[in-house]
């Protein structure tokens, strides 16, 4: 099972690293797609640093670098995903250990 995790980001600098690390630490996750949505805090900087640190992280922004909201950001992530399964994670949330262990059984 290969999963792409899509994380829309807007003003989430306090939570972002924990959120992303919780996704990349899942063995079923093969890419984490960050959609930075014109944050006014340091979220973009944090995203860039995470992308440099982990090959599985891909950072995207909207074509005009403006805020488009969570739904449009998720859609942009879907368009850029490369795996057959998708999961969504809010930037101010995180996955618990073994998040996908039961989900694998269903699929």
């Amino acid at each position: 099972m290969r999963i792409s995790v899509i994380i829309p980001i807007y003003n989430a600098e306090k939570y972002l690293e924990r959120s992303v690390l919780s996704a990349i630490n899942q063995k079923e996750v093969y890419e984490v797609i960050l959609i930075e949505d014109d944050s006014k805090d340091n979220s973009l900087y944090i995203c860039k640093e995470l992308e440099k640190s982990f090959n599985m992280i891909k950072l995207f922004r909207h074509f005009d670098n403006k805020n488009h909201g969570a739904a449009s950001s998720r859609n942009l992530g879907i368009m850029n995903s490369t795996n057959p399964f998708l999961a969504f994670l809010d930037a101010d949330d995180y996955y618990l250990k073994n998040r996908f262990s039961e989900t694998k059984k269903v699929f």
Side-chain angles (χ1 to χ4, degrees), residues 10 37-38 61-73:
Y10 181 73
D37 198 19
D38 194 34
R61 300 182 77 198
H62 294 283
F63 68 97
D64 58 0
N65 292 330
K66 293 185 179 178
N67 182 276
H68 288 251
S72 289
S73 295

Side-chain angles (χ1 to χ4, degrees), residues 51-107:
E51 184 182 38
K52 286 182 203 171
S53 299
F54 300 97
N55 290 334
M56 68 187 323
I57 294 177
K58 298 175 182 175
L59 173 61
F60 296 93
R61 300 182 77 198
H62 294 283
F63 68 97
D64 58 0
N65 292 330
K66 293 185 179 178
N67 182 276
H68 288 251
S72 289
S73 295
R74 286 185 187 101
N75 288 336
L76 181 58
I78 291 168
M79 289 187 295
N80 287 285
S81 66
T82 62
N83 291 294
F85 295 98
L86 303 175
F88 300 106
L89 179 61
D90 291 333
D92 62 349
D93 200 359
Y94 60 93
Y95 289 141
L96 297 175
K97 186 176 179 180
N98 299 317
R99 158 63 180 92
F100 297 106
S101 60
E102 291 300 313
T103 306
K104 283 192 309 191
K105 295 175 185 176
V106 174
F107 289 105

Side-chain angles (χ1 to χ4, degrees), residues 1-5 23-24 26-32 55-58 82-83:
M1 174 177 242
R2 294 174 61 100
I3 300 173
S4 295
V5 174
I24 65 171
Q26 306 293 324
K27 63 184 174 186
E28 300 84 3
V29 173
Y30 281 76
E31 70 181 351
V32 176
N55 290 334
M56 68 187 323
I57 294 177
K58 298 175 182 175
T82 62
N83 291 294

